[in-house]
């Protein structure tokens, strides 16, 4: 019989067999010399060298040539103060942590302090010693019928059910329940006239006995011991923290009357920090009961989910408790017990997360960013393969209770390790927003993929001057070139002609500025439009507001998850998918209770030729010699968009982005990476964020994974060919157009922080199409 059965039978023998069988099936635990061993923990192997297998077909013009990575001096373009003065600081949900704190015993109530100077006799006090001091046993106490004894009791208790597991998509455990033991006092009947001091001494001797054996410093209040004996002596009084397997064995060897090992279920997170922000943790246990025992109360307090999936799926994970009827003898021994109903374990929650991807994302974030996040999605079904925020925390520190010191350290840590940046932080999307902006311009009909606009070093409207990140003018270019070079002034010029709603409408269609629908507490983000501007300020967006919005600054805020979702929509070219974080709910026997199908938020419904222009620009960002995201280059081909933006202007604190998808043609996964810079730090998407993706591809795409992605991409290619999608052969090929763009042709990128100065502005164009007539209004 295993450790758990022995310990549990000490408390309730008849119920032990049923509960143990249920637990062992649910937690998949095995007894070993060192305690319970949890199965299913992933052992990550070092990735073998990637083979020279056949690459996935390149985007348009055959195989791209690997370009040397040029170190970029990238900084955010400084937005004029007039356009930033009403911008709130970056959205951060206030960190409110609900946690059980370890109880502290006041020195004046310490049972250890009370008896540490009292001479110790040769042997500890026994129940027989104390009962002998009381008056002779009267009728109705010991020795009479069990049905008439005044000290006998019958109680009905709830048997807590094992909490269900949380699993990754491959069945690896992310959250489990395991059996742990506490040292507890099991009071026998100490006599009808026992004094409070004698009760406290009886309890204190047991606590000191355990402390001396294990070298511990556990304590309890003398008042608590007396109160428990008077009202609740039929159930154990725990006084230790969770015991290790070695400590359990030692206490079994050195037994003592009135001392027992109390087994309970406890939540355990076998992957420690991995996916901590998504899983959440269990806490908020009810306080230890006081007063008389109430029929129906649980044998031990059950925790509930506080955050993450533990909270979102708490009703499914909790299971259904059983019920047991127990008859206690007057001296505290159990004489009879009946299991009225067996506990039913909670359901298992199977997530979409790939633990291998998740661990790799977290590893790279810890190596390459100070604070940030990384999200990877399947572009065809919306499955969230990885969603990492850094820094992380270990949810095990909250189980069963966290010390005040650790709690304070987590709450006051300036890096905010408890904050799930991947889905609860709102950031300006910076130049990643240009993907939505460019597609909005094209769909508005104001520009075509072949229209050319200038990309000067600065741009003036009214008395405001805004500059490009490159201090040198880059000539003129089309939308593909503007995305490749991330030219701010190109977007300024087109934005004030195409109008703000062409951008906000497309951003909303791509899922930006709204909650994605994952079952977690997520930030909403924000994308302003002219209606909002009218309601707030009584006028529509100014030219400056439109220009700032076009580069993902101003009032625009998104989450990394939203940006990854946008990239998935651009990559699949057809649908904006609701991110799927949970695949199904299973019972104990792995039978499916319910599933979560692929959910389409809306169809993209854009002109395929316009979409192809944006996709080409994203491809050139990584694969062209003058692109800003060359650090993410890989033979599998990557399409993406860098971004560098002002985040907290008062602290001169900026952020860096890189988001996109891979492979470039018939993509399988989308991604988004954000890097939070320190105040005053020079950051850039190509310098700080793109290398994270490049490193991910190098480590993740082992021979096995590379071939899986390639096969999936080729399957998608076959599906597209069978569907008979539009052929572009009758249209002019989409490519970058540069005219007199010496800086772009050189491929040397030197980004600087421009200082607003007065320069001669260019006359504004009076052109525009249908959307121009609808969206543009005279401003006041």
């Amino acid at each position: 019989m295993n450790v758990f059965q022995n310990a549990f039978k000490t408390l309730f023998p008849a119920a032990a067999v049923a509960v143990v069988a249920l637990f062992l099936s649910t937690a998949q635990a095995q007894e070993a010399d060192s305690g319970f061993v949890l199965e299913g923990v992933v052992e990550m192997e070092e990735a073998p060298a990637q083979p020279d297998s056949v690459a996935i077909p390149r985007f348009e013009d055959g195989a791209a040539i690997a370009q040397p990575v040029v170190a970029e001096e990238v900084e955010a373009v400084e937005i004029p103060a007039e356009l930033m003065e009403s911008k709130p600081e970056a959205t951060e949900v206030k960190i409110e942590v609900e946690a059980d704190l370890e109880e502290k015993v006041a020195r004046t109530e310490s049972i250890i302090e009370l008896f540490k100077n009292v001479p110790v006799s040769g042997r500890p006090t026994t129940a027989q010693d104390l009962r002998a001091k009381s008056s002779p046993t009267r009728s109705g106490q010991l020795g009479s019928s069990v049905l008439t004894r005044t000290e006998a009791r019958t109680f009905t208790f709830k048997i807590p059910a094992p909490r269900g597991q949380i699993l990754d998509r491959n069945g690896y455990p992310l959250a489990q329940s395991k059996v742990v033991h506490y040292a507890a006092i099991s009071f026998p009947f100490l006599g009808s006239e026992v004094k409070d001091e004698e009760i406290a001494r009886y309890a204190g001797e047991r606590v000191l006995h355990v402390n001396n054996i294990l070298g511990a410093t556990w304590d309890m209040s003398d008042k608590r011991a007396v109160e428990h004996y008077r009202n609740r002596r039929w159930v154990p009084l725990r006084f230790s923290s969770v015991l290790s397997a070695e400590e359990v064995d030692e206490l079994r060897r050195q037994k003592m009357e009135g001392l027992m090992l109390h087994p309970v279920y406890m939540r355990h997170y076998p992957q420690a920090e991995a996916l901590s922000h998504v899983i959440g943790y269990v806490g908020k246990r009810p306080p230890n009961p006081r007063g008389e025992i109430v029929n129906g109360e649980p044998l031990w307090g059950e925790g509930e989910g506080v955050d993450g999936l533990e909270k979102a799926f708490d009703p499914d994970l909790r299971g259904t408790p059983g019920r047991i009827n127990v008859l206690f003898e007057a001296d505290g021994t159990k004489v009879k017990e009946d299991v009225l109903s067996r506990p039913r374990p909670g359901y298992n929650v199977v997530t979409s997360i790939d633990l291998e991807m998740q661990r790799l994302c977290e590893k790279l974030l810890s190596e390459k960013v100070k604070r940030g996040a990384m999200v990877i999605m399947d572009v065809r079904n919306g499955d969230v393969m990885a969603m990492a925020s850094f820094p992380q925390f270990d949810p095990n520190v909250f189980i069963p209770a966290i010390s005040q010191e650790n709690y304070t350290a987590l709450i006051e840590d300036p890096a905010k390790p408890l904050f799930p940046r991947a889905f609860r932080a709102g950031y300006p999307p910076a130049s990643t927003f240009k993907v939505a902006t460019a597609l909005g311009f094209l769909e508005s009909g104001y520009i075509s993929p072949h229209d050319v606009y200038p990309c000067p070093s600065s741009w003036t409207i009214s008395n405001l001057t805004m500059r490009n990140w490159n201090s040198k003018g880059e000539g003129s270019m089309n939308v593909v070139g503007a995305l490749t070079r991330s030219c701010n002034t190109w977007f300024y010029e087109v934005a004030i002609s195409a109008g703000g709603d062409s951008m906000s409408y497309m951003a909303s269609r791509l899922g930006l500025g709204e909650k994605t629908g994952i079952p977690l507490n997520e930030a909403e983000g924000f994308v302003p439009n002219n209606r909002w501007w009218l309601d707030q300020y009584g006028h529509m967006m100014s030219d400056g507001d439109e220009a700032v919005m076009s580069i993902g600054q101003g009032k625009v805020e998104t989450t990394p998850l939203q940006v990854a979702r946008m990239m998935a929509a651009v990559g699949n070219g057809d649908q904006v998918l609701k991110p799927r974080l949970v695949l199904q709910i299973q019972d104990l026997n792995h039978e499916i209770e319910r599933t979560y199908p692929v959910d389409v938020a809306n169809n993209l419904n854009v002109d395929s030729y316009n979409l192809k222009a944006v996709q080409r620009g994203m491809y050139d960002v990584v694969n062209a010699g003058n692109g800003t995201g060359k650090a993410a280059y890989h033979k599998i081909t990557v399409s993406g968009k860098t971004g560098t933006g002002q985040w907290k202007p008062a602290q001169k604190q900026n952020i860096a982005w890189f988001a996109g998808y891979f492979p470039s043609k018939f993509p399988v996964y989308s991604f988004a990476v954000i890097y939070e810079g320190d105040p005053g730090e020079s950051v850039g998407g190509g310098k700080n964020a793109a290398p994270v993706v490049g490193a991910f591809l190098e480590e993740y795409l082992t021979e096995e994974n590379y071939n899986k992605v390639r096969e999936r991409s080729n399957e998608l290619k076959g599906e597209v060919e069978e569907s008979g999608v539009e052929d572009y052969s009758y249209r002019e090929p989409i490519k970058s157009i540069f005219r007199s763009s010496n800086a772009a042709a050189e491929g040397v990128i030197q980004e600087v922080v421009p200082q607003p100065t007065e320069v001669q502005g260019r006359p504004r164009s009076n052109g525009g199409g249908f959307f121009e007539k609808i969206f543009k209004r005279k401003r006041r």
Side-chain angles (χ1 to χ4, degrees):
M1 186 175 291
N2 65 28
V3 174
F4 172 62
Q5 289 172 309
N6 284 326
F8 197 75
K9 288 196 71 174
T10 304
L11 188 58
F12 300 108
V17 175
V19 176
V20 170
L22 284 169
F23 173 77
L24 294 180
S25 297
T26 305
Q28 299 175 348
Q30 295 179 341
E31 184 182 357
D33 291 339
S34 59
F36 286 89
V37 179
L38 299 178
E39 296 180 335
V41 178
V42 183
E43 295 295 334
M44 305 300 290
E45 296 182 358
E46 188 173 330
Q50 185 166 301
D52 294 326
S53 52
V54 180
I56 294 175
R58 299 287 178 173
F59 184 84
E60 287 276 1
D61 304 324
I65 300 175
Q67 300 293 334
V69 177
V70 180
E72 298 182 79
E73 296 297 332
V74 183
E75 293 186 4
V77 172
E78 186 172 333
I79 305 300
E82 294 89 335
L83 300 177
M84 296 290 286
E85 59 185 2
S86 61
K87 174 180 167 50
E89 288 294 335
T91 303
E92 288 188 3
V93 178
K94 184 180 179 181
I95 300 176
E96 298 178 349
V97 178
E98 298 177 276
D100 294 327
L101 299 178
E102 293 180 352
E103 295 183 3
K104 297 290 186 180
V105 178
R107 186 180 181 87
T108 56
E109 298 180 353
S110 167
I111 205 167
I112 300 299
E113 291 292 324
L114 185 64
F115 292 104
K116 72 177 183 179
N117 297 322
V118 176
V120 180
S121 60
R123 63 180 181 85
T125 304
T126 66
Q128 184 176 355
D129 296 335
L130 296 176
R131 284 198 297 265
K133 297 180 181 180
S134 300
S135 300
T137 303
R138 297 186 299 272
S139 176
Q141 293 184 336
L142 295 177
S144 60
S145 169
V146 76
L147 299 178
T148 61
R149 296 170 196 165
T150 57
E151 287 298 319
R153 292 290 187 275
T154 300
F155 300 107
T156 299
F157 295 100
K158 285 198 306 183
I159 307 173
R163 192 173 177 88
Q165 299 184 90
I166 300 177
L167 309 168
D168 93 324
R169 66 189 301 116
N170 299 308
Y172 294 124
L174 304 173
Q176 293 180 317
S177 293
K178 67 176 182 178
V179 175
V180 298
H181 293 83
Y182 292 89
I185 298 172
S186 179
F187 283 106
F189 179 59
L190 302 180
S192 59
E193 300 174 4
V194 65
K195 299 178 181 179
D196 289 354
E197 308 87 69
E198 294 172 326
I199 298 171
R201 179 171 185 132
Y202 186 89
E205 288 178 350
R206 272 84 194 146
V207 176
L208 283 169
H209 174 73
V210 172
N211 285 349
N212 290 336
I213 292 174
L214 302 181
T217 58
W218 293 312
D219 201 352
M220 73 165 63
S221 164
D222 60 329
K223 294 180 181 179
R224 177 71 189 282
V226 172
E227 178 187 1
H228 185 90
Y229 176 82
R230 300 293 186 193
N231 297 304
R232 308 179 59 81
R233 67 178 177 83
W234 298 271
V235 295
L237 174 60
R238 300 187 323 215
F239 61 85
S240 75
S241 56
V242 175
L243 300 174
S244 67
E246 293 77 13
E247 290 171 334
V248 169
D249 291 340
E250 189 63 31
L251 290 182
R252 283 203 176 102
R253 284 193 293 270
Q254 302 193 45
K255 298 179 181 180
M256 186 179 190
E257 178 198 271
L259 184 64
M260 68 169 291
L261 293 168
H262 183 44
V264 301
Y265 298 136
M266 189 178 77
R267 204 58 166 163
H268 175 62
Y269 301 98
Q271 312 303 334
E273 294 184 346
L275 206 70
S276 54
H277 298 98
V278 174
I279 298 171
Y281 58 92
V282 169
K284 295 173 62 178
R285 292 179 182 272
N288 292 325
R290 304 287 180 95
E292 295 185 357
I293 296 174
V294 177
N295 273 331
E297 72 177 47
L299 295 176
W300 59 83
E302 299 177 80
E304 58 183 85
V306 172
D307 199 4
L309 295 176
E310 290 278 27
K311 180 178 181 180
F313 290 89
D314 190 68
D316 296 297
L317 292 164
R318 287 176 72 88
T320 304
R323 293 173 65 241
I324 184 172
N325 196 60
V326 188
L327 174 62
F328 289 91
E329 176 60 275
D331 63 359
T333 60
K334 292 174 288 294
V335 295
K336 186 180 180 182
E337 59 183 37
D338 296 310
V339 177
L340 305 179
S341 63
R342 299 176 183 277
R344 188 181 70 185
Y347 290 125
N348 297 331
V349 176
V350 182
T351 69
S352 62
I353 297 295
D354 183 297
L355 187 57
E356 180 185 7
M357 279 191 180
Q358 179 73 26
R359 280 178 162 174
L360 181 54
C361 289
E362 293 171 347
K363 169 181 173 289
L364 293 173
L365 288 176
S366 68
E367 293 173 353
K368 296 181 179 296
V369 309
K370 300 171 182 177
R371 296 164 304 278
M374 184 173 186
V375 179
I376 298 178
M377 279 182 59
D378 190 311
V379 304
R380 299 293 165 172
N381 55 30
D383 284 359
V384 180
M385 308 299 292
M387 188 155 61
S389 300
F390 185 79
Q392 306 153 267
F393 69 97
D394 185 351
N396 288 303
V397 302
F398 290 94
I399 310 299
I402 186 172
S403 68
Q404 183 64 56
E405 294 77 14
N406 288 338
Y407 178 80
T408 301
L410 282 172
I411 293 297
E412 297 181 355
D413 188 334
K416 299 183 179 178
L418 297 174
F419 190 47
R421 291 168 165 83
F423 57 89
R424 203 174 293 170
Y427 300 98
S431 289
T432 63
F433 192 73
K434 290 174 182 175
V435 172
T437 300
L439 195 54
F441 291 164
L442 292 164
E443 285 293 291
S444 73
Y446 183 77
I447 66 170
S448 78
H450 308 292
D451 291 341
V452 173
Y453 284 82
C455 176
S457 61
S458 63
W459 179 87
T460 299
I461 187 72
S462 185
N463 63 338
L464 298 176
T465 295
M466 300 167 65
R467 299 183 182 274
N468 189 24
W469 61 264
N470 191 342
S471 60
K472 300 178 180 179
E474 300 197 17
S476 297
M477 58 188 68
N478 67 340
V479 66
V480 177
L483 287 169
T484 304
R485 297 293 297 151
S486 197
C487 179
N488 293 329
T489 49
W490 188 98
F491 281 90
Y492 298 155
E493 178 65 21
V494 180
I496 65 171
S497 299
D501 281 347
S502 67
M503 297 180 283
S504 59
Y505 176 61
M506 183 54 62
S508 297
R509 284 171 64 183
L510 289 168
L512 300 180
E514 62 184 37
K515 292 185 177 181
T516 65
I518 59 172
L520 301 176
N521 178 19
E522 59 176 326
E524 186 171 6
F526 184 66
V527 176
N529 56 28
N530 276 317
R531 168 56 59 190
W532 181 85
W533 226 276
L534 281 169
D535 292 342
Q536 291 292 315
Y537 305 114
H539 61 84
M540 300 176 75
M541 286 187 241
S542 68
D543 290 337
D545 292 320
E546 289 175 339
V548 169
M549 179 180 176
S550 73
I551 63 168
Q553 293 274 193
K555 291 179 170 56
V556 184
E557 282 190 353
T558 59
T559 67
L561 178 60
Q562 290 176 6
V563 174
R565 179 196 196 185
M566 173 182 71
M567 295 303 178
V570 173
N572 71 49
D574 183 34
Q575 298 172 328
V576 180
L577 297 162
K578 177 180 176 180
R580 184 168 60 166
L581 186 57
V582 174
L583 301 179
Q584 57 187 229
I585 306 298
Q586 300 177 344
D587 66 13
L588 176 65
N589 299 315
H590 305 293
E591 296 293 330
I592 297 176
E593 179 68 18
R594 67 179 182 273
T595 62
Y596 294 86
V598 176
D599 193 354
V600 179
N602 58 269
N603 292 318
L604 193 54
N605 287 332
V606 296
D607 182 88
S608 55
Y609 195 64
N610 291 335
L611 179 64
K612 188 66 70 174
V614 173
Q615 291 173 335
R616 179 68 200 217
M618 294 175 62
Y619 174 83
D620 285 352
V621 166
V622 180
N623 299 280
N626 59 348
T628 58
K630 295 188 298 296
Y633 178 85
H634 192 277
K635 72 175 183 179
I636 203 169
T637 67
V638 180
S639 293
K641 185 69 193 75
T642 56
T644 309
Q646 285 183 287
W647 180 34
K648 297 180 178 180
Q651 289 92 350
K652 296 187 181 299
Q653 191 171 9
N654 299 330
I655 53 173
W657 286 90
F658 186 61
Y661 50 83
F662 66 91
S664 293
K665 197 166 188 179
F666 309 112
V668 176
Y669 298 118
S670 67
F671 58 83
V673 174
I674 188 166
Y675 175 102
E676 289 184 11
D678 288 331
E681 180 184 2
S682 171
V683 303
K687 179 176 66 174
N688 299 103
V692 178
V693 175
F696 173 85
L697 295 173
E698 284 297 324
E699 293 194 39
Y700 177 71
L701 292 178
T702 61
E703 179 179 2
E704 179 182 1
N705 290 335
Y706 183 89
N707 289 330
K708 284 181 180 179
V709 174
R710 184 182 65 177
E711 290 169 7
R712 178 79 188 282
S713 182
N714 286 334
E715 289 174 2
L716 297 173
K717 176 183 178 182
E719 294 172 5
V720 171
E721 290 174 347
E722 291 178 4
S723 66
V725 294
E726 182 178 3
D727 182 8
Y728 302 101
S729 59
Y730 68 94
R731 297 195 188 183
E732 183 178 349
I734 300 174
K735 59 184 179 180
S736 300
I737 301 175
F738 295 100
R739 294 178 181 168
S740 301
S741 50
N742 294 331
E746 294 171 1
V748 178
I749 301 173
Q750 297 288 334
E751 300 192 8
V752 297
V753 177
Q755 301 296 325
T757 57
E758 293 291 335
V759 300
Q760 182 62 39
R762 294 176 290 103
R764 283 187 53 196
S765 168
N766 292 322
F770 177 70
F771 276 72
E772 166 79 4
K773 296 182 176 65
I774 293 179
F775 294 140
K776 303 297 286 184
R777 298 289 186 271
K778 182 177 180 180
R779 302 181 176 89
R780 58 180 185 178

